[in-house]
């Protein structure tokens, strides 16, 4: 099994399924492609149905898209409990992960990750601004506070124990750190900040960061 990713320094879409696969204990190799180089673009055009990363090659198939890979992992590794066990928490966990997967375009635009804005290393950027950005941040803060208050008693993550939404929101935490966004200015009572700190301290993410810096 092989996971094909973009550069670890800034490929947020690649980070998500990598975290999921690590969490479920899957044995897989990782191939990193420079998605901005001519050679990398040519390789992606050859192997990726969408022309994008990430891709998972398994059982003779190529699964593309971070959500599709995460759903595959949850089906293949039910013992990993990648979704919350409580049905109400599970419904909302899927809603939260899908909202992140398909939304928050202002955050992605104005707090974009790339060669000059990495997920790891020193934080040197100034807080950005732009249309829709405040709305996106306030929505994220509200979502984090609500889910932590309702379902977070069992641990430091969004639904207590680590689950797929945490993989999808880890790049959000890296954006908040990199761009020095003060969540208290967007209505945070401290629980959203604590949740983001838990994501950034999660052992698999620290391993990803170490590999990226190396």
């Amino acid at each position: 099994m092989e996971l094909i990713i973009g550069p670890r320094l800034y490929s947020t879409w690649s980070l998500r399924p990598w975290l999921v696969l690590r969490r479920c204990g899957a044995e897989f190799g990782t191939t990193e492609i420079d998605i901005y180089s001519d050679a990398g673009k040519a390789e992606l055009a050859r192997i990726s149905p969408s022309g994008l990363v990430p891709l998972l090659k398994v059982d003779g198939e190529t699964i593309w898209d971070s959500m599709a890979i995460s759903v595959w992992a949850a089906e293949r590794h039910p013992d990993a409990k990648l979704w919350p066990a409580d049905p109400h928490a599970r419904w909302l966990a899927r809603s939260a992960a899908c909202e992140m997967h398909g939304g928050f375009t202002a955050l992605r635009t104005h707090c974009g990750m790339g060669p000059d804005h990495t997920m790891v290393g020193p934080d040197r950027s100034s807080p950005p601004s732009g249309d829709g950005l405040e709305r996106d941040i306030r929505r994220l803060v509200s979502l984090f506070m609500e889910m932590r208050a309702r379902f977070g008693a069992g641990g430091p993550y969004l639904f207590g124990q680590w689950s797929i939404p945490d993989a999808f929101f880890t790049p959000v935490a890296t954006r908040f750190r990199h761009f020095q966004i003060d969540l208290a200015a967007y209505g945070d009572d401290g629980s959203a900040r604590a949740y983001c700190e838990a994501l950034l301290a999660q052992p698999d993410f620290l391993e990803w960061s170490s590999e990226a810096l190396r």
Side-chain angles (χ1 to χ4, degrees), residues 14-152:
S14 300
L15 170 63
R16 294 176 170 102
W18 187 90
L19 289 172
V20 170
L21 292 174
R22 287 301 304 268
R23 187 71 179 188
C24 67
E27 294 185 5
F28 64 99
T30 304
T31 299
E32 186 173 314
I33 294 178
D34 182 354
I35 57 177
Y36 291 138
S37 71
D38 290 340
K41 292 176 182 177
E43 179 68 3
L44 281 177
R46 185 180 69 83
I47 65 174
S48 173
S50 64
L52 303 171
V53 289
L55 307 165
L56 182 66
K57 291 184 173 294
V58 58
D59 294 345
E61 299 291 352
T62 297
I63 305 173
W64 68 95
D65 187 87
S66 58
M67 181 62 79
I69 296 170
S70 299
V71 170
W72 172 90
E75 292 176 349
R76 181 65 67 91
H77 298 275
D79 293 343
K81 300 177 181 179
L82 294 174
W83 295 111
D86 175 81
H88 292 264
R90 188 165 61 250
W91 302 334
L92 298 189
R94 290 171 175 165
S95 297
C98 288
E99 183 179 1
M100 181 66 249
H101 187 258
F104 301 105
T105 55
L107 180 74
R108 301 182 199 276
T109 299
H110 299 291
C111 298
M113 300 275 95
D116 297 327
H117 297 288
T118 70
M119 292 188 284
V120 297
D123 309 328
R124 299 194 180 105
S125 297
S126 300
S129 61
D131 293 342
L133 181 59
E134 179 177 355
R135 180 182 65 250
D136 277 2
I137 297 174
R138 287 192 178 277
R139 168 57 186 153
L140 285 161
V141 167
S142 174
L143 174 64
F144 293 169
M145 290 195 303
E146 180 184 359
M147 295 302 105
R148 288 291 300 148
R150 290 187 60 186
F151 303 107

Side-chain angles (χ1 to χ4, degrees), residues 130-187:
D131 293 342
L133 181 59
E134 179 177 355
R135 180 182 65 250
D136 277 2
I137 297 174
R138 287 192 178 277
R139 168 57 186 153
L140 285 161
V141 167
S142 174
L143 174 64
F144 293 169
M145 290 195 303
E146 180 184 359
M147 295 302 105
R148 288 291 300 148
R150 290 187 60 186
F151 303 107
Y157 300 111
L158 198 60
F159 293 86
Q161 297 300 307
W162 197 94
S163 61
I164 286 173
D166 300 307
F168 277 75
F169 288 118
T170 296
V172 173
T174 70
R175 284 179 160 94
F176 288 163
R177 177 178 65 178
H178 181 83
F179 291 97
Q180 301 183 50
I181 294 174
D182 178 12
L183 298 185
Y186 297 89

